Structures are given as structure tokens and as C-alpha cells.
Amino acid sequence: MITSIDTEVKKKTFDVQSFREQFPILKRQVKGYPLIYLDNAATSQKPQVVIDALVNYYSGFNANIHRGIHSLAEEATAAFEATRDTVKDFINASSREEIIFTRGTTEGINLVAATWGRANVKAGDEIIITNMEHHSNIVPWQLLCEEKGAVLKVIPVDDNGELIWEEFLKLISPKTKLISVVHVSNALGTVNPVKNIIAEARKVGALVMVDGAQSTVHLDIDVQDMDCDFFAFSSHKLYGPTGIGVLYGKRDLLLAMPVYQGGGEMIKEVKYTGTTFNDLPYKYEAGTPNIADTIALKTAIDFVNETGKDVMRRHEDELLDYATEQLQQIPGLKIIGQAKEKVSLVSFIIDKLHPQDIAILLDNRGIAVRTGHHCAQPLIDRFCIPGTTRASFAAYNTTEEIDELVKGLHRAIKLLA
Amino acid sequence: MSTIRDIEKEIVEEFGLFDNNDDKYEYIIDLGKKLPVLDDQYKTDDNKVRGCQSSVWLQADYKDGKIFFSADSDSVLVKGLISMLVRVLSGRTPDEIIGAPLDFIKEVGLTSFLAQTRSNGLLSMVKQIKNYALAFKLKHSTT
């Protein structure tokens, strides 16, 4: 009994200082100041366990997977495939066959456009995206539409950075083949109502792809409950290594879709008269995969699960509230993106100041933020601004760091204005 | 008249007075604020320097064998950098400009600006200035 209470208490509390201890990079200095890393929406830092997982693989059991008979190959294969099981549980897919390893979210979206898209989208069909997409969820569909003579439609965004629902309802029709929507906007932090969008899509028989690049680290992901057809995310925004991501697809769709890239692993039998293809999920995984990073992705997910997404999110929400409150007090500062549902990032502009100048001066105080269009040019154009400065928080950030950000901004205003 | 190298040395000496990064940046910001504003008629797409996160416009005029530059940006820091380039290179002949190694950029310790070529494009500005010089040289050697 006592043990279970202890576990319960342990689960509910979050000690940011001991969490920070697990990230070696947070101890470094930049330009003589302690690093304050507020560019987590671009990529998160990695805990020691993830770094160790990479080192342990290369120093302990590096081997090519799946075909080797020797012990190293067996160990590497087991570790690689264990990640697939962990990912399956992490996003609650119904089977491990639905988990395809990719290089990242971008490749996941491109894979769907190149396979399902090419096989199913015809002239006159419509694909719907939103005005807050990352370029990765615009360009693949633009290319597909150009190739097929299909039409790309865009759900507009209001001044708060939320989708205009009535406009979406006007766009969706039996011509809609696919809706590809960002779960959480990287530039605004807006959480989109994907379940409602999916419910509308079902009425017209359209499929839905969800870009989970920003959401997976902050929100609980349950692809069965969400009922999306495809979901893509990247490991490196989830405390995991770069160069590895996941595409989830419903089994029936993945079975029916044509193959993506040709090569080793994805084949069953190769003859000059024709090739037959491997079963799911290997059908979409040509060539030697990114073994090391895939193995370390499991460590990253285990790390997130052990810490508890709920307690991390509670801390991140506190950071968001605190940052919003503090930043709003800065004269001339305007927050871009004030959706009711937001993750822990704040995009803003300051009167008469260029974001690039702000970022350079903050960097001189060891503070890392991002500036510009955040790979969402159409969205930034919609707000008629040259770009924003974005501070994006992870669970290892602190309110003291936000205080330093605010000080840095006051200093920048004093110097630049 | 002082050469390009002379002016570069002057700038390096001025920066030598600062013993920390903050003061260097403040000085660049100050230069940026002092750079005369470019008339809107010159802020055209043709005059825009590609490869900068901020908008940068560079206007070049050719007179008596020399090129005169005026420029502007919506970033104060970038304006400060432009101001230094204009000070060094404006009023020079095409050959002088094409041949200028511009070592002062490294000597002053502006390498962090150089490292961020994609975002603020100091190198893009230098390249554009040299392209203008080359274009004027070709134009006036054939006529």
C-alpha cells in the first residue's frame, strides 16, 4: 500500500532542477553566460540516457539488422524492433505494423503524398490544409496537386491564431480527398481541434493526416481515439536524437498503398521479371535504417514516460502562463497567437524592432530564441509582419530563465529603439 | 587620399577600443542609427539583397569612374554593418572594390555575423557590392 502511495506522489511532483541535471548541455555557457535554451520547438536538448543509448549501441552491439545470423545482429535487431513496440504503445496504435520509421515528420508527409497521394488523388480532387502549416505540410501537397491537376484549399486563421471553423465547413465537400493538418502550430503554439476536423472528414469520406511534429512532446497522443488516418512525428523534438521519425498509418491503408522507395529490406523476392514486396511495416523501409537513432528513440520515449507527460505538461503550462503574463507587460510587445488552446511557446513582435536584432542581442546574453517566419511563410504573411521572435519552452526551462528573457528584451529595446 | 586598407585599419582601431562584445554591438547599433535613410524610390526588388532574414536594399551609382553606394535595412544591426561597408567601399573604382579582401570583417571580430550567413547575410551584401562593381566595370570597358 505504502509503496503505491509513494509511487503516486513521485509521479505527481516535478522537480525541475533534478530534471535539468539530466541534460548535460544545460550546464554550458554561451558568450560568458549560462545557456538559456528557449528554442525547443526547433529541437529539444537530449538527456544523458539518450546520449548513452547512442554510445552503448556503437560501442556494444553495432550491426546491420534483420538478416544477420550472428549475436550482434540479433541484439541490434531486437533493440531496433523494441522501439517499434514502444512507439506503438506511446501513440496507442493498434499494431506494430502501423509504425513506419522515417527520417522525420517531413519524410512521413512526403511518403504519404508520394504513395497514397499518387495512387488516389485525381484531377479535380481537393486537398485541404490550414493557413498555419509548416512548409513541410504545404509543399508535398502542392507538388502532388500540380502533378495531378488537383486543388489545394487552405483553412484561414483568425487574429488570435485559431482556425476559422465556418470557413473550414465551406471548404470541405465530397471533392475533398484529404485533409492534412498541423496538430500544434510551430509558429503560434495553437492546438488545433483535430478530432472535430476528423469527424467532419468522415462525413465526406476524406482521409486525415495529422502533422504531430510539435504536439507529440506536449500532448497525449492516441491515434485510435483521434481516429486519424496518418500521423507523423519526429524524435528530435521529443528529447530523442535527430534523423529519426515515425509515420503511423492505418493498417488497411498501408497495405493498399504502393511502395515508397525501392531497395533492400522492402522486398520479398527480386527477379528481373519483377519484384514482390515485403510485409508491413518493412514494405516502406528501404535500405539500412537509422539503427542507432531508432534505438535511442526508445530511450527518449521511456524517459518521457517515466517522467510523466502530465507532470511535464503541468510545468510547461505554468511556464507558458508566466511568460505570457511577463511578456505582455513589456511596452510595445505584441504576442502573435493567443489561441485558447496553446502549448508552451510564445511568438511575439516588438514595435520598431527587427526580430533578428532582438535575437542577436539575446544571444549575447546566452539566450537562444528563434526568429523569422518559422518555415510558415504564408502564416507570417497573413499577419502582415516580417517575422516573429519565438521563445519555446521545454520541461527543463524555469521561470528564472523567463525573467532573464524579459531582462534581455528590456535591454534590447533600450539599445535598439 | 586614403586607400580601402587605410579605412579598414581605422575601423579596426575603433573597435580595438572596446574590450567587450556588448560595446561592439552598441557601436554597430549606433552606426546603424546614423546611416541616412534610403529614399523609398530605391527600395525596389532589384535593389534587394537576397539571402538576408532582414530586408536589405543597396543602391549603386556610377560617377566619374567611381561607384557610390547607399543602403538601408529594417534591421538596425544590419544597417550598422552596411554603414561600415559603405564607408570602406563607397567612392572607389570598380577594380578597387573587386580586389578588396575586406579583412577588417574578421579583424574586428564580426565572425559571428559571418557565421550567420543565411540569416543576416553580411556575405550576401559583400557579394552584391562586388557584383555591382563587376557590372559597372564590364559596362564601362565596352563603351
Side-chain angles (χ1 to χ4, degrees):
Chain A
M1 270 316 274
I2 290 164
T3 326
S4 78
I5 290 167
D6 280 352
T7 325
E8 200 62 20
V9 171
K10 200 179 155 200
K11 257 184 151 177
K12 295 289 177 217
T13 57
F14 179 71
D15 176 6
V16 66
Q17 287 309 330
S18 57
F19 188 70
R20 284 179 72 83
E21 287 293 311
Q22 305 187 63
F23 293 81
I25 206 169
L26 297 179
K27 294 185 185 80
R28 74 160 279 184
Q29 303 236 318
V30 170
K31 308 216 167 152
Y33 293 85
L35 166 67
I36 295 178
Y37 186 76
L38 305 178
D39 195 16
N40 295 286
T43 196
S44 63
Q45 297 302 344
K46 319 305 171 198
Q48 189 63 52
V49 284
V50 168
I51 300 165
D52 288 346
L54 292 167
V55 174
N56 290 344
Y57 165 70
Y58 283 122
S59 48
F61 54 103
N62 171 53
N64 210 333
I65 54 168
H66 292 140
R67 286 164 303 277
I69 302 300
H70 54 82
S71 298
L72 293 188
E74 277 175 20
E75 286 173 31
T77 303
F80 180 88
E81 290 300 331
T83 301
R84 208 184 299 273
D85 294 320
T86 299
V87 170
K88 169 197 162 282
D89 293 338
F90 186 61
I91 62 171
N92 195 30
S94 56
S95 90
R96 66 192 315 280
E97 296 176 321
E98 296 176 321
I99 306 300
I100 314 291
F101 290 123
T102 62
R103 282 185 296 144
T105 310
T106 301
E107 191 181 41
I109 298 169
N110 275 281
L111 190 158
V112 174
T115 58
W116 177 87
R118 278 195 163 154
N120 293 286
V121 174
K122 297 180 293 293
D125 285 346
E126 294 176 357
I127 292 173
I128 296 179
I129 59 171
T130 80
N131 195 191
M132 61 174 96
E133 300 306 327
H134 188 282
H135 297 159
S136 300
N137 199 26
I138 302 174
V139 184
W141 308 118
Q142 239 171 7
L143 293 171
L144 178 67
C145 286
E146 273 167 26
E147 184 187 316
K148 296 291 182 175
V151 184
L152 190 65
K153 301 226 159 176
V154 182
I155 311 170
V157 168
D158 68 15
D159 290 342
N160 286 329
E162 292 179 331
L163 295 178
I164 305 175
W165 190 254
E166 309 80 68
E167 296 298 323
F168 165 55
L169 296 181
K170 283 182 209 160
L171 293 178
I172 190 168
S173 80
K175 283 186 191 166
T176 311
K177 268 286 162 86
L178 174 81
I179 302 169
S180 191
V181 58
V182 70
H183 197 180
V184 165
S185 158
N186 71 312
L188 306 174
T190 309
V191 179
N192 282 318
V194 286
K195 277 183 87 169
N196 297 348
I197 292 172
I198 291 163
E200 291 300 323
R202 295 294 169 246
K203 293 181 193 166
V204 296
L207 298 192
V208 178
M209 164 141 214
V210 176
D211 167 355
Q214 295 294 333
S215 62
T216 308
V217 69
H218 297 293
L219 309 177
D220 291 321
I221 305 297
D222 181 334
V223 290
Q224 292 188 72
D225 177 60
M226 198 191 292
D227 194 32
C228 56
D229 298 289
F230 301 104
F231 186 93
F233 70 93
S234 303
S235 146
H236 72 96
K237 297 186 200 283
L238 188 68
Y239 306 106
T242 55
I244 179 72
V246 169
L247 171 69
Y248 157 84
K250 281 185 178 164
R251 191 170 177 277
D252 289 351
L253 289 166
L254 293 177
L255 280 173
M257 276 155 44
V259 296
Y260 182 44
Q261 292 175 330
E265 192 62 53
M266 53 78 75
I267 52 93
K268 189 169 276 169
E269 213 175 23
V270 178
K271 298 206 186 301
Y272 287 121
T273 48
T275 294
T276 51
F277 302 113
N278 204 340
D279 297 328
L280 287 179
Y282 311 108
K283 173 184 168 186
Y284 296 103
E285 293 178 359
T288 294
N290 184 347
I291 303 166
D293 294 312
T294 308
I295 290 171
L297 169 59
K298 179 185 189 311
T299 312
I301 294 174
D302 289 343
F303 171 81
V304 167
N305 285 337
E306 278 159 26
T307 311
K309 251 192 190 180
D310 50 347
V311 289
M312 286 162 77
R313 186 163 58 243
R314 208 178 305 145
H315 176 68
E316 289 162 4
D317 287 347
E318 281 167 19
L319 293 174
L320 174 65
D321 290 345
Y322 185 72
T324 305
E325 186 195 305
Q326 294 298 312
L327 290 172
Q328 269 170 341
Q329 291 173 25
I330 296 176
L333 185 145
K334 187 182 172 206
I335 293 176
I336 305 294
Q338 310 220 50
K340 285 184 280 299
E341 292 278 328
K342 259 184 87 169
V343 300
S344 55
L345 73 84
V346 187
S347 233
F348 58 87
I349 51 171
I350 299 178
D351 268 355
K352 300 188 188 82
L353 264 57
H354 197 283
Q356 183 186 304
D357 291 342
I358 296 171
I360 289 171
L361 293 179
L362 289 176
D363 180 59
N364 274 345
R365 285 289 182 274
I367 303 171
V369 295
R370 183 147 297 243
T371 60
H373 52 58
H374 314 295
C375 295
Q377 269 177 2
L379 177 67
I380 294 302
D381 291 345
R382 182 248 172 262
F383 283 98
C384 302
I385 48 177
T388 72
T389 305
R390 182 188 71 190
S392 52
F393 311 110
Y396 45 65
N397 288 124
T398 64
T399 50
E400 290 80 9
E401 288 180 315
I402 293 170
D403 291 338
E404 288 303 316
L405 169 69
V406 170
K407 267 191 230 165
L409 290 173
H410 278 299
R411 179 175 166 269
I413 292 169
K414 200 175 137 211
L415 286 173
L416 295 166
Chain B
M1 192 199 157
S2 49
T3 63
I4 287 182
R5 191 61 203 146
D6 292 336
I7 308 278
E8 287 192 49
K9 278 182 185 161
E10 268 177 39
I11 294 177
V12 174
E13 273 172 34
E14 288 164 22
F15 272 85
L17 299 173
F18 308 124
D19 52 9
N20 66 60
N21 229 358
D22 280 359
D23 292 344
K24 276 185 196 173
Y25 278 76
E26 274 186 50
Y27 184 61
I28 298 169
I29 290 167
D30 215 39
L31 291 175
K33 287 180 179 171
K34 284 181 188 152
L35 186 74
V37 177
L38 188 67
D39 198 279
D40 275 350
Q41 63 167 314
Y42 299 119
K43 291 185 180 175
T44 60
D45 266 3
D46 281 349
N47 278 344
K48 224 170 173 178
V49 181
R50 307 281 157 210
C52 300
Q53 203 183 77
S54 50
S55 295
V56 179
W57 298 270
L58 189 66
Q59 164 71 16
D61 297 294
Y62 188 79
K63 201 179 160 195
D64 302 333
K66 290 172 181 166
I67 308 174
F68 295 85
F69 295 102
S70 38
D72 207 344
S73 170
D74 50 359
S75 151
V76 183
L77 275 161
V78 172
K79 274 181 85 167
L81 297 174
I82 299 172
S83 147
M84 286 189 271
L85 288 175
V86 169
R87 179 171 160 199
V88 172
L89 295 171
S90 195
R92 305 283 166 184
T93 66
D95 280 332
E96 282 178 303
I97 294 169
I98 293 163
L102 300 177
D103 291 332
F104 83 100
I105 295 172
K106 268 183 217 149
E107 289 164 7
V108 162
L110 295 178
T111 39
S112 67
F113 283 104
L114 275 173
Q116 298 175 41
T117 46
R118 198 177 147 199
S119 53
N120 72 48
L122 182 57
L123 281 185
S124 304
M125 286 187 267
V126 172
K127 200 174 150 197
Q128 182 110 334
I129 287 175
K130 295 211 172 196
N131 281 345
Y132 271 123
L134 200 61
F136 280 121
K137 185 185 172 176
L138 291 173
K139 193 176 164 194
H140 292 279
S141 63
T142 52
T143 53

